[in-house]
Amino acid sequence: MLDFFTIFSKGGLVLWCFQGVSDSCTGPVNALIRSVLLQERGGNNSFTHEALTLKYKLDNQFELVFVVGFQKILTLTYVDKLIDDVHRLFRDKYRTEIQQQSALSLLNGTFDFRNDFLRLLREAEESSKIRAPTTMKKFEDSEKAKKPARSMIETRGEKPKEKAKNSKKKGAKKEGSDGPLATSKAVPAEKSGLQVGPENGVELSKEELIRRKREEFIQKHGRGMEKSNKSTKSDAPKEKGKKAPRVWELGGSANKEVLDYSTPTTNGTPEAALSEDINLIRGTGPGRQLQDLDCSSSDDEGAAQNSTKPSATKGTLGGMFGMLKGLVGSKSLSREDMESVLDKMRDHLIAKNVAADIAVQLCESVANKLEGKVMGTFSTVTSTVKQALQESLVQILQPQRRVDMLRDIMDAQRRQRPYVVTFCGVNGVGKSTNLAKISFWLLENGFSVLIAACDTFRAGAVEQLRTHTRRLSALHPPEKHAGRTMVQLFEKGYGKDAAGIAMEAIAFARNQGFDVVLVDTAGRMQDNAPLMTALAKLITVNTPDLVLFVGEALVGNEAVDQLVKFNRALADHSMAQTPRLIDGIVLTKFDTIDDKVGAAISMTYITSKPIVFVGTGQTYCDLRSLNAKAVVAALMKA
């Protein structure tokens, strides 16, 4: 049973609607438009909204959208056939009204389509019920009946197809066997009254074959065992006289007191003075304002200059034919026209580190967007598909919600509470380093920061944050801020409950008047259930304002797996009725990938969450904001 079926134009005018239940279809259809159609995620023609499954079809020639909705617990096999039949009949029946391309004509037009729809629905339901009767297969029709009975007899421990080969090999072994062995075998056979021997052409019985193989096995492996015993005996004296390790004179000692460079510190105490060069730590560039990400490299200018040189040597005739090659003319695009171009685009995206499944869905979305669309006279299929793909990629990198941390922090200041940010991610992606970069950016904008060391699992995690805190304090000493301590580290050591430490840090920040609390968590793999449960507990108990997932720009398909399983684990292990999921992404190590920027597309596509920060280096100033057009330009570069 269908809940609804609606037909509307891409301009937003509802042409016709069928209501199967009393509930309104406005909410699900608006969710489909907002989450799929406007976000260029049309690779899959199915969309789930709460308890409903929506399937849709786009008509790009007449700018129409056909949507059908039904309960997701139902398995309706006829929905695809129904939506195709309705699309074909509605387009053919009201072609003249739709082709006028004016909102007034569509509003004044009468689309009496109910009787036709009910007829198509009845036919689709009946066609799904009609099934051909299944007849059982007879033994005479099977492959086994065609084989003779002799070929199906198998000897134990021997494959049927290798009988002839094994008999030949056994005969060859008998011919090449030694004299004493042959005579020893022939004696018991003569007692039993059998004439055995290759000269008579008679094979040995099963018992004789087993006995012969057993003796051959003992002869072969008995010698190997003797050799192994000799080798073990010869190696034993060497182990007794093992050489002692050499002790170097200037090697130093590994005492605990010598290797302990840490100084006992408590929460709130100022750090010692820094002996390192502050300019090297800070880096170059303005730290107060984030710069846009620049994906262009120095090789691009040289490649552009080299590409212009051979173009001057080409003849005008060849250039003319090259320009006219592939022109479409005033015709509508079909799947066959775009297939070869889309295959090349898909391979290009995968080579640029876009996850394989997402590359397929992107190309499928572009195909659905362009299928049936009438092209201009001087338009090529390649340029049209490439332009549509670029528009889709830019739209994907600009998701629905935009995270503005500075505005949210100032709003939290007016409410006299700290703004809490939690960092999570897998091992080794740079959570602590990028937390320090974000701390420096916040300090440059005049906000005080408390860093909560909630990574109580990895050895050296607290010491790493202590080093960052000391460097940040040297860059922003209290003397520059009227004696106010701008950055502090809150830590309780190792082996403690991370959720409890975060709660104490938030309370400490509220009492001491800190503006921002940055919570560093332990790195964990997405399949580690105990650690994912602990992370979900930390987020549920402390309810941070922002949950940032830190991921590498080096990964391809792994980015999808990490984000999907992190969100799923946070939802499964959360104790809240509406679980808190990832709010944004921090993309690290972006300076190591050149133009292979596909991880940004994969992460944004799979979560619909924005990339808030991009890490591009080792210093505190190497933090950028995402520039969607620059990333897409680097992604589409050949």
Side-chain angles (χ1 to χ4, degrees), residues 287-288 290 405-406 409 419 421-423 430-445 447-449 451 472 487 516-518 546 548-550 585-588 612-615 619-624:
R288 184 180 180 86
L290 288 179
M405 278 187 64
L406 299 180
I409 292 170
Y419 185 81
V421 184
T422 300
F423 294 81
K431 291 184 295 299
S432 302
T433 303
N434 285 274
L435 181 145
K437 293 180 184 179
I438 295 172
S439 301
F440 175 74
W441 173 65
L442 293 173
L443 292 172
E444 290 286 313
N445 283 277
F447 298 111
S448 58
V449 178
I451 300 175
L472 292 171
V487 57
V516 185
V517 179
L518 301 182
L546 189 64
L548 293 179
F549 176 84
V550 185
I585 300 167
V586 179
L587 201 58
T588 65
V612 186
F613 300 104
V614 179
T619 63
Y620 290 145
C621 287
D622 293 328
L623 195 67
R624 301 286 185 270

Side-chain angles (χ1 to χ4, degrees), residues 204-387:
L204 296 174
S205 62
K206 186 182 293 185
E207 291 80 5
E208 295 294 333
L209 288 173
I210 294 173
R211 191 179 300 125
R212 175 175 290 185
K213 289 188 175 294
R214 185 180 297 146
E215 292 179 2
E216 291 177 358
F217 178 80
I218 293 172
Q219 288 179 358
K220 288 181 180 179
H221 293 271
R223 296 172 184 173
M225 291 172 65
E226 292 176 359
K227 292 180 180 179
S228 61
N229 292 333
K230 292 179 181 179
S231 62
T232 53
K233 289 179 181 178
S234 61
D235 294 339
K238 294 181 181 179
E239 293 180 359
K240 290 181 181 178
K242 192 174 181 180
K243 187 177 179 180
R246 177 177 294 181
V247 179
W248 299 94
E249 295 180 359
L250 300 178
S253 60
N255 296 330
K256 181 180 178 182
E257 292 78 10
V258 178
L259 296 177
D260 188 10
Y261 289 94
S262 61
T263 55
T265 56
T266 57
N267 296 323
T269 57
E271 299 288 345
L274 192 68
S275 60
E276 302 173 77
D277 188 0
I278 295 180
N279 293 326
L280 293 177
I281 299 171
R282 183 187 186 279
T284 58
R288 184 180 180 86
Q289 186 177 2
L290 288 179
Q291 296 178 342
D292 287 338
L293 183 66
D294 185 14
C295 297
S296 62
S297 60
S298 59
D299 298 336
D300 298 342
E301 297 179 0
Q305 292 176 1
N306 294 334
S307 62
T308 55
K309 291 180 181 178
S311 62
T313 60
K314 290 182 179 179
T316 55
L317 187 61
M320 192 67 180
F321 279 112
M323 184 180 67
L324 294 176
K325 183 181 179 181
L327 293 183
V328 178
S330 298
K331 59 170 286 189
S332 59
L333 279 176
S334 63
R335 288 267 180 170
E336 290 76 14
D337 298 332
M338 299 181 289
E339 185 175 0
S340 60
V341 180
L342 288 173
D343 289 343
K344 293 179 182 178
M345 290 291 179
R346 184 186 65 248
D347 296 340
H348 177 77
L349 291 176
I350 294 174
K352 294 284 187 176
N353 248 6
V354 179
D357 294 340
I358 292 177
V360 172
Q361 294 180 24
L362 282 171
C363 293
E364 188 68 22
S365 174
V366 171
N368 293 335
K369 182 180 179 181
L370 295 179
E371 186 178 9
K373 190 173 182 180
V374 179
M375 309 305 302
T377 307
F378 294 99
S379 299
T380 62
V381 178
T382 305
S383 62
T384 305
V385 172
K386 188 174 181 179
Q387 183 180 359

Side-chain angles (χ1 to χ4, degrees), residues 606-627:
I606 203 67
T607 59
S608 301
K609 302 300 180 183
I611 296 176
V612 186
F613 300 104
V614 179
T616 59
Q618 299 286 335
T619 63
Y620 290 145
C621 287
D622 293 328
L623 195 67
R624 301 286 185 270
S625 61
L626 187 74
N627 185 356

